[in-house]
Amino acid sequence: MICRLIDGITLGAWQLACPAASAAPWAYAAAIAGIAASLLLALRARKRPLPLRILTAALFALGFILLAVATERPELRRSLDRAQGGKIVVLLDQSESFWRDPARARGALNLAADRIEAFLASMPDGQAAGWRGELRGFGRASGGLGGESTAAHLADTLRSYRVDRAEDASNLRAGLLDGLAALRGGDGQGRVILLSDGLASEAPDDALWAEFRALGVPVDVIAAGASTPASGLVAANLGPEHRIGQEAVLRGTTLGAGSLVVTQKERSDTLEVAGGDTLRPLRLTTVFDRRGLQGLQLGFDMASVRQQRNLFTLVRGPARLLIYGPAPWADALPEARWRVERASPATPLPPADYDLVVIDGLEPQDFPPGHVDELLAAADGTGLMIVNGGLRGSVTDEQVISAWNRSVLGPILPVDSDPRLFVQEPPPRDIVVMVDVSGSMGGRRLGSAQSAIRAILAQLRPQDSIAILPFSSDAHRPFQKSAATQKTLEAARRYTDGLSAGGGTAPETTLQSSARFVSNYCAFFFISDAEFEPPKSAPQCFTTAISVSDSRFPMDVSAWGEEILLGEDGSADNIPFRYFQPEERKEYYRDGLFTPLSVGGDGLPDPGLGVNGMAITYPRSDARVEWLHALPPPDPLFAWRRDARRPGVVAGVFLGPMDAQWGQSALPATEAMLERLLGWPDQDRYLVQLLDDGDRYMLRVTPTSAAGVIHQGALSASLTWSNGASNGISLQFDRRQGAFVGGVPAPAAGGFQRALLVLQEGANIQRIPVDFPPATALSGLRAERLDFGVNAEILRAAEQKTGGISLAERQISAYPSRSIHEVVILAHVFLSLAFAFLAAGVWSRNLNSR
């Protein structure tokens, strides 16, 4: 009421306004009641001086009046005119359902062009030049279809526009957000013209409409849609998993006449489909002959349109094993797990078609020129196993493995037969010192032992490691295995100086525990006074036995490696340890029957049979040795290696002969050895699906019960192509699907391409081959949802909730430059003053006059 009296008063560029004046009467009634109550209380307080009673009543009255005025929401406004002109953004639906009826779609574009031209023509002279225009499209995503231009040129663009490739989705929300972003922050007015059927794969919500209203941007609509449902290839499905050699059923649905083309690798089959007005179900069968994610391409050719869809299924089954050479053990491999094919090296088969290639006792020159290069090219996805076979010539002659080491396959093999490479620069070595600290080692003998340890420490390099295991009746607190840095060596010397003697002598436990330190390049040093019963255990690494008494060891330590008599007062400062000064070995074969020794507790099962000799090789530092010779030096019998940079490359070597017994009594060990070289040994660990998602593929990995519980983030994936390129795949766990989900980039255009999907879960690595169908640009439309017409509800909301119009019914009106207001709210100022006066009134009631 009071604010209403001054509503509209101008203060310079500002103007007073009271937008809530109609709600004020009740507030003023409450204020009058409050003022009356304060006057009544002032009259009754006769003991207080009259001036104080008047002051109190006045303060309360002012407070109540200001509260009442605040309810009218007084504010100051300043009007600002926007610049003349503005911008029109045309949002064009790129989906298949909008373009399915080309005549209707073209009619919508022509109508939009006509409306824009009429809008510009209705403006006063000179104003049309201030209007700009831009065409943007939306399908799966949204983006520009050309740069910004004059509004007049936008009309010409709409009339000449032709869609290159309709999409199988319509993200209307993304399109509207994109259009709003194109207008946000610009000068002048903004307007969006939406050309769509409203069949949105992702629809807008009320919050988005509120953003349009807040910026004063109306959405004008031109609705157009197809009069019939989607034609052509409406749906297609290939089951998620199949078995090798079994019939796989492909089911589909078509509408209309056309040619259905199924392409699987080099084979292509065509089925003519008769026309009709109703949906037609289809059932086709095929057979997959290799493991992994197998893809096929389904195309539907109509009069002027070609649709295309790629489907994948996970094919499980026996591993395909290609064998060259005798390999008598392979005849016993169970057919349920292995599909064994034999071939002659004179007429080799394409290695990339197999999961594993085994070459038994043959050399590179046994194959045609260039085939070893094919083996290397196929190694990224096809495992390789070289079996050396028996002795060739004499033990001083180079063996079969030497020829393979010199071939192009040498860098991927897990061993090297050239001893010079090992001598010149040994790989990182793992050194373990076992030292006797029993009572008989007291005095000078312990001093000699400490001298020997210090001499050993002086030979180490930073890339080596050191562990010290003292023992007497029992094992003592050890010096834990550590990298031989300068700091570690200083700590090891202090540990050595602190050793003391006492107790009996029982090396058996320590010798047994030393097995956990076995590695490709390990060396043991056994220091004792030799006064004990011969142990039953023998060390599994090259061992230097050092006696710190005048006695020799009571066992054949020469078979361990080297024996040194240091004596009680000996000094090891100038003693050359043979291990640290290795001589080039002159022999390439260890003859005689021996029983293989398994390395570590998680290695391959014990084969339980003898091997008649083995080729002498040196394992690479990144190789895994599974079996070795029982007597030092620990030459490897079977070793394998996965390339650190290319996880698809796995190669193994067996350095002795493999007779028929490896397929009989040692069959479990043989199968375990072969599985080490397969990329996909655990076929039931995951259900893996690839879904065609247009410009990319969606990968879904579902752990099975065999895989146990996999925590989020514990599964990683990558895709390795045949050219060596690799793409990481970001997997996110989707609780609703119970699967890890991520995007896979589509391969470059071309024919069928093979890749490896590498799934890594901790130490478990699965390399699953993937056959991608050709990736080519579509020459026509993709199938969208089986729908037609328009979604009138969404399109009507776009008009009504933003202040837009239907351009099929009305013309855009020319409108003057629109004003906007800068507003300063005064209500909070009045509220603050009101409470201040009321508080002062309460305070004044407590004042006493003096």
Side-chain angles (χ1 to χ4, degrees), residues 274-504:
D277 297 330
T278 59
L279 295 172
R280 177 190 177 104
L282 296 171
R283 185 181 186 277
L284 306 173
T285 60
T286 186
V287 174
F288 295 99
D289 59 357
R290 52 188 300 179
R291 308 190 312 163
L293 277 167
Q294 300 297 308
L296 57 79
Q297 190 172 92
L298 197 61
F300 195 75
D301 293 327
M302 295 174 283
S304 59
V305 174
R306 174 175 174 79
Q307 296 172 331
Q308 178 179 301
R309 191 174 302 182
N310 293 334
L311 303 174
F312 294 85
T313 187
L314 185 67
V315 181
R316 297 186 173 99
R320 296 190 67 184
L321 184 60
L322 177 62
I323 294 181
Y324 296 102
W329 47 269
D331 296 334
L333 292 175
E335 295 182 357
R337 298 179 54 125
W338 307 93
R339 291 178 59 185
V340 178
E341 296 183 42
R342 295 180 179 271
S344 168
T347 55
L349 300 177
D353 292 342
Y354 297 86
D355 298 298
L356 178 61
V357 176
V358 177
I359 301 174
D360 187 3
L362 300 175
E363 300 183 42
Q365 56 265 32
D366 295 324
F367 294 85
H371 185 71
V372 178
D373 297 281
E374 290 185 41
L375 289 171
L376 180 62
D380 207 339
T382 298
L384 175 66
M385 180 174 172
I386 305 292
V387 180
N388 181 85
L391 174 64
R392 184 183 67 170
S394 68
V395 296
T396 59
D397 293 331
E398 290 190 348
Q399 301 299 305
V400 169
I401 189 61
S402 299
W404 289 104
N405 279 138
R406 287 194 300 270
S407 74
V408 294
L409 292 178
I412 72 170
L413 296 180
V415 299
D416 197 315
S417 60
D418 188 347
R420 291 170 297 180
L421 298 178
F422 179 79
V423 173
Q424 290 167 4
E425 183 56 36
R429 303 166 299 196
D430 298 310
I431 307 301
V432 179
V433 177
M434 293 174 279
V435 56
D436 184 355
V437 292
S438 62
S440 62
M441 286 285 294
R444 293 178 297 176
R445 292 182 179 182
L446 183 59
S448 294
Q450 292 168 325
S451 171
I453 297 175
R454 286 191 291 268
I456 294 168
L457 296 176
Q459 302 286 332
L460 302 187
R461 307 163 302 169
Q463 62 264 42
D464 299 330
S465 71
I466 179 65
I468 303 175
L469 310 179
F471 66 91
S472 58
S473 302
D474 299 300
H476 290 226
R477 179 182 63 85
F479 183 85
Q480 299 291 352
K481 180 180 177 180
S482 306
T485 62
Q486 189 62 39
K487 183 178 179 180
T488 297
L489 294 178
E490 292 175 359
R493 292 185 184 99
R494 291 194 299 271
Y495 177 88
T496 300
D497 293 340
L499 294 175
S500 59

Side-chain angles (χ1 to χ4, degrees), residues 144 192 213 456 471 481 497 693 700 714 729 754 808 810 847:
V192 168
R213 290 196 304 271
I456 294 168
F471 66 91
K481 180 180 177 180
D497 293 340
D693 200 33
R700 182 184 300 149
I729 303 172
R754 195 183 194 201
R810 295 169 53 191
L847 289 176

Side-chain angles (χ1 to χ4, degrees), residues 41 82 156 181 329 377 417 435 458 462 472 525 614 652 660 843:
L41 291 173
R82 272 189 173 175
D156 296 334
W329 47 269
S417 60
V435 56
S472 58
F525 289 85
M614 58 187 286
W843 172 76

Side-chain angles (χ1 to χ4, degrees), residues 56-67:
T56 301
L59 291 172
F60 276 110
L62 284 171
F64 287 128
I65 291 172
L66 289 173
L67 283 174

Side-chain angles (χ1 to χ4, degrees), residues 95-140:
S95 67
E96 185 269 339
S97 60
F98 180 81
W99 288 95
R100 190 183 308 147
D101 193 332
R104 289 173 182 253
R106 293 244 46 89
L109 269 71
N110 290 332
L111 177 58
D114 293 341
R115 294 304 196 201
I116 292 173
E117 288 180 338
F119 172 62
L120 297 175
S122 65
M123 291 182 180
D125 293 342
Q127 289 193 15
W131 281 84
R132 310 288 295 171
E134 186 177 358
L135 177 61
R136 305 189 73 82
F138 63 92
R140 286 189 164 273

